[in-house]
Amino acid sequence: MTEPISFTRKGAWRGAVRCIPLIISIIPFGLVAGVTSQGAGLSLLEAMIMSAGVYAGASQLVALSIWSHPPPLLATALAAFVVNLRLALMGPVLAPWLDRLRGWRLWGSLFFMADQNWALSVTEMTTGGRDAGFLLGSGLSMWLVWVLSTGAGHLLGASMRPPPGHPLFFAVLAVFVSMLAGMWRGGKDVLPWLVAAASSSIASFLMPGTFWYIIIGAFAGTLTGGLRDRTVA
Amino acid sequence: MEPINLAAIVLMGLATYACRGGGYWLFRQISPSPRVRAMLAYVPGTLFVSFVVPALLQGGLQPSVGAAATLATMLATRNTILSIVAGIAAAWVVWGFR
């Protein structure tokens, strides 16, 4: 018999401590999110509420890149949904822990699940960790630093007032380029990525000023990968 | 604080939680085939390609040089923070020569 799954303060604390190196590494991303929010015209409070309530950096940066006055409600919500679809695939991996939780412990833990503390929790779980509080503890501490560093970035942007086209705003693209290097899985990604690049570029020229090209490119590339695998298999 | 901004943020939060919580909930009800899972695994890569490539085509020299520096540093060091700093620095150099 294996030990049952528990959910304790001790497990949450262990998650928070194990997460410290990752917490330090998200501070620059929080600063980028804050500077970008300021550049998009959000107030300090709005920027911090967004980081607190959405708590998903990449989707926030995509949404901020299409922000206007008033913001396009459907487009920003859809951007958040599509960019965060990967989170829907991450929760089920932690099922051995999550299936044992109920109520706020389950749904609260899921709220604080982000890429970094998810990866850490999967490692903890697969190496025999039985305390599901680990996920909440690591996520909560990262969330706190995320919100605070967003605020700091907003203050930085407000004091520098970088003009549009300033290299500081290139940070958003740099974040995504570095993420792409990590997402590359080898030869099978060549065709889907080429299709995504071509279809999104064409769509962006046909529909300037909207963000639909991101959705169109992702859809075309994903569909290409799925159909190709089906024919090959 | 503007109500319309708050509304956009709340909708983004709901959409994100639909992924975080809804994904777990849905996969507990139905178990998707390995083929569907394999196909969904293409979403993150193709999504960010679709964000980056058109932005580089329309942005011209500055973002392209920055992206090249980011990618080169990332491949050489595998250090995310360092590669972002290198990219911004390279974009800054191009900006200075405008």
Side-chain angles (χ1 to χ4, degrees), chain A residues 25 28-29 41-42 45-46 49-50 53-56 58-60 62-63 65 67 70-71 73 76-77 80-89 91-92 95 98-99 106-107 110-111 113-114 163 165-168 170-183 185 188-189 192-193 196-197 200-201 204-205 213-214 217-218 221-223 225-226 228-230, chain B residues 1-29 32 35-59 61-72 74-75 78-81 83-96 98:
Chain A
S25 74
F29 293 98
L42 264 65
L45 190 61
E46 287 167 347
I49 291 175
M50 183 190 279
V54 180
Y55 183 39
S59 68
Q60 291 175 228
V62 171
S65 74
W67 207 269
L73 295 183
T76 47
F81 185 77
V82 177
V83 176
N84 290 322
L85 264 181
R86 70 184 188 289
L87 296 169
L89 302 174
L98 296 173
D99 287 352
L106 171 61
W107 303 109
L110 279 166
F111 178 84
M113 179 183 73
H166 190 276
L168 213 51
F170 173 73
V172 176
L173 268 185
V175 168
F176 292 148
V177 170
S178 65
M179 278 171 67
L180 275 173
M183 285 173 181
R185 295 176 300 167
K188 67 173 176 177
D189 278 329
W193 285 29
S200 60
S201 301
S204 75
F205 279 106
Y213 64 90
I214 304 173
T222 299
L223 200 65
R228 191 263 326 267
D229 291 352
R230 193 175 187 168
Chain B
M1 186 154 63
E2 294 176 45
I4 187 81
N5 281 351
L6 194 62
I9 292 166
V10 167
L11 288 175
M12 281 176 63
L14 290 174
T16 303
Y17 195 72
C19 296
R20 283 200 168 101
Y24 168 75
W25 179 85
L26 186 71
F27 279 54
R28 202 170 57 177
Q29 314 298 317
R35 179 176 289 166
V36 172
R37 280 175 186 266
M39 185 157 152
L40 288 174
Y42 283 108
V43 172
T46 55
L47 185 92
F48 289 114
V49 165
S50 304
F51 185 94
V52 169
V53 174
L56 293 183
L57 288 179
Q58 293 182 355
L61 191 63
Q62 184 192 316
S64 298
V65 170
T70 307
L71 194 61
M74 188 67 186
L75 294 177
R78 287 277 147 194
N79 184 325
T80 311
I81 305 295
S83 61
I84 291 167
V85 171
I88 296 173
W92 214 305
V93 169
V94 176
W95 192 61
R98 277 175 319 160

Side-chain angles (χ1 to χ4, degrees), chain A:
Chain A
M1 274 289 282
T2 48
E3 216 184 310
I5 300 297
S6 60
F7 187 94
T8 68
R9 194 170 295 226
K10 196 163 155 257
W13 185 249
R14 180 178 153 76
V17 171
R18 286 288 305 280
C19 208
I20 288 172
L22 302 178
I23 288 172
I24 294 168
S25 74
I26 67 159
I27 293 174
F29 293 98
L31 293 175
V32 170
V35 170
T36 313
S37 304
Q38 201 275 332
L42 264 65
S43 71
L44 175 64
L45 190 61
E46 287 167 347
M48 290 177 79
I49 291 175
M50 183 190 279
S51 275
V54 180
Y55 183 39
S59 68
Q60 291 175 228
L61 294 178
V62 171
L64 288 168
S65 74
I66 56 167
W67 207 269
S68 57
H69 300 281
L73 295 183
L74 178 67
T76 47
L78 197 61
F81 185 77
V82 177
V83 176
N84 290 322
L85 264 181
R86 70 184 188 289
L87 296 169
L89 302 174
M90 284 158 48
V93 178
L94 289 169
W97 277 0
L98 296 173
D99 287 352
R100 303 286 164 210
L101 304 180
R102 293 281 174 277
W104 69 266
R105 292 177 171 182
L106 171 61
W107 303 109
S109 294
L110 279 166
F111 178 84
F112 291 104
M113 179 183 73
D115 298 288
Q116 294 93 333
N117 74 313
W118 171 80
L120 205 61
S121 299
V122 170
T123 310
E124 170 80 3
M125 188 182 80
T126 50
T127 53
R130 313 292 295 171
D131 196 327
F134 189 97
L135 178 64
L136 183 64
S138 55
L140 198 60
S141 53
M142 246 177 49
W143 175 85
L144 194 66
V145 174
W146 174 244
V147 175
L148 291 177
S149 55
T150 303
H154 191 283
L155 294 175
L156 184 73
S159 65
M160 285 180 62
R161 298 217 167 269
H166 190 276
L168 213 51
F169 294 117
F170 173 73
V172 176
L173 268 185
V175 168
F176 292 148
V177 170
S178 65
M179 278 171 67
L180 275 173
M183 285 173 181
W184 175 252
R185 295 176 300 167
K188 67 173 176 177
D189 278 329
V190 173
L191 184 65
W193 285 29
L194 280 176
V195 169
S199 53
S200 60
S201 301
I202 294 166
S204 75
F205 279 106
L206 295 178
M207 292 176 278
T210 71
F211 90 114
W212 294 106
Y213 64 90
I214 304 173
I215 307 287
I216 290 167
F219 185 78
T222 299
L223 200 65
T224 303
L227 290 177
R228 191 263 326 267
D229 291 352
R230 193 175 187 168
T231 348
V232 171

